[in-house]
Amino acid sequence: DTGVSQDPRHKITKRGQNVTFRCDPISEHNRLYWYRQTLGQGPEFLTYFQNEAQLEKSRLLSDRFSAERPKGSFSTLEIQRTEQGDSAMYLCASSRLAGGAEQFFGPGTRLTVL
Amino acid sequence: QKEVEQNSGPLSVPEGAIASLNCTYSDRGSQSFFWYRQYSGKSPELIMFIYSNGDKEDGRFTAQLNKASQYVSLLIRDSQPSDSATYLCAVRSGGYNKLIFGAGTRLAVHP
């Protein structure tokens, strides 16, 4: 059973640039989640997909952030016009549709905005 | 008031002792409760989940849930230095699927 994978693992960018992250969930998982984690805090929910439908988006998510899951498999998270405050670990998780929907996390993408 | 609260620690216990980690939550509609372990620089790893009042045991780990008191805890028996990590409590509420996390408790197990 292959776990959740994320790419890239690290990204350093300059303020104002656009970045895109990719997440590949566990193959039989229908649900995919994006979270953001800063130092000393727990992960903070950003958005969630069930298959290809984006069903929930955090009010904290500015319009510079967009996420897609076009074929219900992998997902991308894009941040436009990055700001220093976007520096964080971006985590992807996936879960089954049924049952307790335990979420399993990928290794994360660490973003540093200079 | 934060939705999920944890003592930030550090909680320091000697090797072989029982470590007790606590978490309170504010939403009475919460249905599912999770404990994740996170090593420094790594992503969270699911170690326990509990949905019903009472205790749930898995190896050296026991999760305890008291919905009336809005309280969930994690006990780690025979603590090992390799258990030293941050433990995150997460709650899923109502019809929503997102998890709300506490800020985590740092556990240090010393030889």
Side-chain angles (χ1 to χ4, degrees), chain A residues 35-54:
Chain A
Y35 292 84
R36 175 173 63 189
Q37 187 177 23
T38 53
L39 196 63
Q41 301 298 315
E44 174 187 42
F45 171 78
L46 295 178
T47 190
Y48 141 64
F49 292 85
Q50 183 165 301
N51 300 314
E52 65 275 9
Q54 188 173 17

Side-chain angles (χ1 to χ4, degrees), chain A residues 8-22:
Chain A
R9 297 289 302 275
H10 302 273
K11 178 71 176 178
I12 300 174
T13 190
K14 293 183 179 179
R15 189 176 53 189
Q17 298 295 304
N18 299 344
V19 295
T20 300
F21 309 142
R22 176 179 170 126

Side-chain angles (χ1 to χ4, degrees), chain A residues 64-76:
Chain A
R64 297 185 297 105
F65 287 71
S66 62
E68 292 183 341
R69 194 182 182 197
K71 297 183 179 179
S73 56
F74 73 91
S75 175
T76 58

Side-chain angles (χ1 to χ4, degrees), chain B residues 45-95:
Chain B
E45 173 193 7
L46 180 64
I47 54 171
M48 286 289 288
F49 55 89
I50 186 167
Y51 304 138
S52 304
N53 274 331
D55 294 0
K56 179 182 178 183
E57 186 174 321
D58 184 2
R60 295 187 297 113
F61 299 101
T62 299
Q64 299 174 317
L65 175 61
N66 183 327
K67 288 187 177 181
S69 300
Q70 296 176 245
Y71 177 92
V72 59
S73 65
L74 178 70
L75 300 179
I76 307 174
R77 287 181 300 281
D78 188 25
S79 295
Q80 301 297 309
S82 60
D83 294 326
S84 298
T86 296
Y87 289 80
L88 297 162
C89 172
V91 173
R92 186 168 69 93
S93 295

